[in-house]
Amino acid sequence: YPSAIERGMTTEVTVNSRFTMFGAYKVLIEGTGVTAEVVDPGMKLDPAKPGQKPAVENLKLRITVASDATLGDREFRIATPQGVSSVAIISITDTPCVLETEPNNTPDTPQKIDLPVVVSGKIQANEDVDVFRFSAKAGDQLTFVVGSARTQDKIHDLQSHIDPILVLSDATGRELATSDDYFRADPLLNFIVEKDGDYVLQMRDVRYMGDARWTYALTATKRPFVRAIFPLAVKRGRTTHLEPIGFGMGDMTS
């Protein structure tokens, strides 16, 4: 946590493990343009207990993303004297990133955000609801997408997974739109604003469950959003026109 980093930035990320990461010495990240180093967790061996390794369950990494790094999710693992860890995921984005700030559990105490933005947050306990407030103008086409359940599916240590849902309301609390289960369990919500004003977005687990390990990256944007490409296959040696499919694409057809 956080689970998303903007291109061109260096960010400290905390990794949680069920087993000790004592002595971690290297971070193995797929692809190029992203590097990481282990920040000393400050744990020392106890001379009175030779051979016993401290329980380092939380480890800080310093991750640097190049300004031209490829966007999208990157798998990484942590190398320790005990072996190499299971896979973890970090998302690389070209959108400004912020952290969720508590308290933001009710429409009366929302976190104010400016679009476009990626919010890294946690549904950290039962009945936790993260509420965000923002301004929009008539005609704005808004897209909200969550990266969470898809990430957790690749993390072996989680015993139960988040099932996120998004609910969009106007400033009076009137529900305007909701989304659940688009990219597997992760929601995608698109909405065209009818009038200027403030709007409220709720992010929560559909069962009102929570877990301190349930992190998410919520993208909220007015930019064009591509959700698919057609065709999905191109024969080698041929030139093919690709059609992006999504929201706010305008005349973009190839």
Side-chain angles (χ1 to χ4, degrees), residues 122-125 128 130 162 203-205 209-211 214 216:
K122 295 181 181 181
I123 302 298
Q124 55 199 2
D128 184 16
D130 291 343
I162 190 173
M203 161 67 188
R204 61 174 173 82
D205 181 83
M209 294 174 62
D211 188 301
W214 286 2
Y216 64 82

Side-chain angles (χ1 to χ4, degrees), residues 31-105:
T32 60
V34 182
T35 58
E37 59 180 328
V38 177
V39 178
D40 185 359
M43 302 288 286
K44 304 297 182 183
L45 290 173
D46 185 347
K49 300 177 180 179
Q52 184 175 356
K53 298 180 176 63
V56 181
E57 296 179 350
N58 294 285
L59 187 71
K60 281 192 175 184
L61 310 178
R62 186 176 294 110
I63 299 180
T64 299
V65 181
S67 59
D68 60 350
T70 302
L71 303 175
D73 291 343
R74 301 289 188 97
E75 295 185 355
F76 70 92
R77 300 172 186 267
I78 298 171
T80 78
Q82 295 76 241
V84 178
S85 74
S86 58
V87 69
I89 305 291
I90 192 74
S91 180
I92 308 303
T93 179
D94 61 352
T95 302
C97 296
V98 300
L99 296 179
E100 173 215 354
T101 57
E102 297 279 357
N104 64 340
N105 293 340

Side-chain angles (χ1 to χ4, degrees), residues 172-229:
T172 69
R174 180 171 65 97
E175 186 175 313
L176 301 173
T178 186
S179 177
D180 183 22
D181 296 348
Y182 187 90
F183 296 110
R184 285 184 270 177
D186 285 336
L188 168 67
L189 191 157
N190 182 259
F191 182 79
I192 298 178
V193 177
E194 294 184 354
K195 61 179 181 179
D196 297 0
D198 286 349
Y199 292 85
V200 175
L201 184 72
Q202 293 187 11
M203 161 67 188
R204 61 174 173 82
D205 181 83
V206 71
R207 304 153 299 181
Y208 286 97
M209 294 174 62
D211 188 301
R213 300 168 296 175
W214 286 2
T215 62
Y216 64 82
L218 167 63
T219 299
T221 184
K222 304 175 187 178
R223 297 173 177 173
F225 185 88
V226 178
R227 56 188 176 91
I229 292 289

Side-chain angles (χ1 to χ4, degrees), residues 4 16 24 53 84 89 104 108 139 146 160 163 166 178 220 251:
N16 175 266
K53 298 180 176 63
V84 178
I89 305 291
N104 64 340
D108 295 329
V146 174
S160 60
D163 187 358
L166 293 174
T178 186
D251 296 329

